[in-house]
Amino acid sequence: MERTWWERFTCAADVTARDRQNSRIVNFWAFAWMAVWVGATFLIKGEWVTAEATSLAIALAPNLLGIATVRAYIRFLREAEELQRKVQLDALAVGFGVGMVAIVGLELLGDIGFFEAGPSDALMFMILAYSLGLVFGWRRYR
């Protein structure tokens, strides 16, 4: 069976049907979380909402979807086959480690006035490192 370039790059053809389905569920929740976060940011920063209770509800709404995403990811990990779980956990370790280094490093750079960064900047490093960890993990074990 001929594989597409994406399957060859990510080893997607080697994933079980259950892992693929659970991955789709995680992706659904992650995209929903992102969409609600973007919408909440737009409403709050654009000052479209002025009532305190409504602003609080809008600010907390993305967190509920974030919790749903984490729960779906935990289910995905628990039900994943052994190699999938190993690649995911290795990528999480790299992402977490890079995120911690980024948080500390960016904080110190901000303290000396060299570079002002917020939590979202460290989050971007973490997400990038996790994503690269997945790619390199799949490449390593294929």
Side-chain angles (χ1 to χ4, degrees):
M1 178 168 122
E2 182 64 27
R3 293 182 179 188
T4 66
W5 71 271
W6 182 252
E7 289 172 333
R8 285 191 307 272
F9 183 71
T10 63
C11 299
D14 300 330
V15 176
T16 66
R18 183 178 62 193
D19 288 349
R20 195 170 306 135
Q21 177 62 28
N22 284 338
S23 181
R24 285 186 188 118
I25 292 168
V26 171
N27 288 336
F28 167 80
W29 284 110
F31 282 115
W33 180 17
M34 176 201 59
V36 171
W37 178 81
V38 168
T41 301
F42 176 76
L43 291 173
I44 291 169
K45 289 191 176 185
E47 298 180 9
W48 289 82
V49 179
T50 55
E52 189 173 313
T54 306
S55 294
L56 180 62
I58 290 171
L60 292 176
N63 295 326
L64 297 175
L65 289 164
I67 291 168
T69 303
V70 170
R71 290 190 66 209
Y73 187 70
I74 290 170
R75 178 179 175 201
F76 166 72
L77 285 178
R78 285 184 180 154
E79 294 181 3
E81 58 97 16
E82 193 174 333
L83 180 59
Q84 174 75 269
R85 189 176 310 123
K86 172 146 181 54
V87 170
Q88 290 287 330
L89 291 176
D90 286 353
L92 280 174
V94 170
F96 180 80
V98 167
M100 293 300 293
V101 170
I103 289 168
V104 171
L106 292 173
E107 180 71 24
L108 290 174
L109 289 174
D111 289 346
I112 64 170
F114 183 76
F115 181 76
E116 286 299 320
S120 59
D121 296 312
L123 180 63
M124 291 304 116
F125 282 109
M126 187 181 282
I127 291 170
L128 179 63
Y130 167 73
S131 300
L132 289 174
L134 285 177
V135 170
F136 290 129
W138 276 119
R139 302 288 296 174
R140 177 180 183 188
Y141 294 112
R142 101 182 165 133

